[in-house]
Amino acid sequence: MLRRLAALGVSLAAASPAFAAGPKRPGAPPPVLNVVHHKLLRSAPASYQTPGGSLDVAVGDLNGDGKPDVAVAGLAPTPSASISVLLQDPAHPGTLLAATSYPGFGQPLGVAIGDLNGDGLADIAAADGSSATVMLQISGKPGQFAPAVQVGQ
């Protein structure tokens, strides 16, 4: 994953041992995704809370505003895991809004952004060891996604 992130110009750092170890344990600090640097965000390092167990990240325009947003595949909460979407704050370019997390399936190992149904809107795909999950963007609601649908096994 780190090579893929480096190719995108993204670097991540674990904010706490709980983040590196996966889903939150009782008494552990909240899991945090640290976006240390992204050449398109052009902002200082910042930390963003996600449900935990973050394994992969994709960067792309998820709401059609022309600015890069972030999708994160994570293992928490169990058993469904999650896909978190962090959109750029329109009032503060280069800063991401708080994560909106959507339930997933299984344990997503990778996440990608692309127009999966030909409607011109960015959608999200995630994959685990045996299947894929697709989240299609809701037409007329930029940056909002329909519930995840499992495809393939």
Side-chain angles (χ1 to χ4, degrees), residues 91-135:
H92 302 94
T95 302
L96 300 172
L97 296 170
T100 299
S101 295
Y102 298 87
F105 287 96
Q107 296 183 344
L109 301 174
V111 64
I113 297 170
D115 182 2
L116 302 174
N117 59 354
D119 64 357
L121 302 173
D123 304 306
I124 299 172
D128 65 18
S130 62
S131 67
T133 301
V134 175
M135 292 173 36

Side-chain angles (χ1 to χ4, degrees), residues 11-147:
S11 58
L12 302 176
S16 71
F19 176 88
K24 185 176 177 184
R25 295 178 308 275
V32 175
L33 169 70
N34 277 350
V35 178
V36 177
H37 171 74
H38 185 280
K39 63 185 175 185
L40 297 175
L41 292 177
R42 303 188 198 298
S43 63
S47 298
Y48 299 94
Q49 187 168 339
T50 60
S54 300
L55 292 176
D56 197 21
V57 63
V59 177
D61 183 7
L62 290 170
N63 58 358
D65 65 358
K67 298 178 177 118
D69 304 303
V70 178
V72 180
L75 296 176
T78 56
S80 67
S82 65
I83 303 296
S84 297
V85 173
L86 295 94
L87 301 174
Q88 274 208 53
D89 183 346
H92 302 94
T95 302
L96 300 172
L97 296 170
T100 299
S101 295
Y102 298 87
F105 287 96
Q107 296 183 344
L109 301 174
V111 64
I113 297 170
D115 182 2
L116 302 174
N117 59 354
D119 64 357
L121 302 173
D123 304 306
I124 299 172
D128 65 18
S130 62
S131 67
T133 301
V134 175
M135 292 173 36
L136 301 176
Q137 190 164 162
I138 300 170
S139 181
K141 296 186 177 184
Q144 295 182 31
F145 297 85

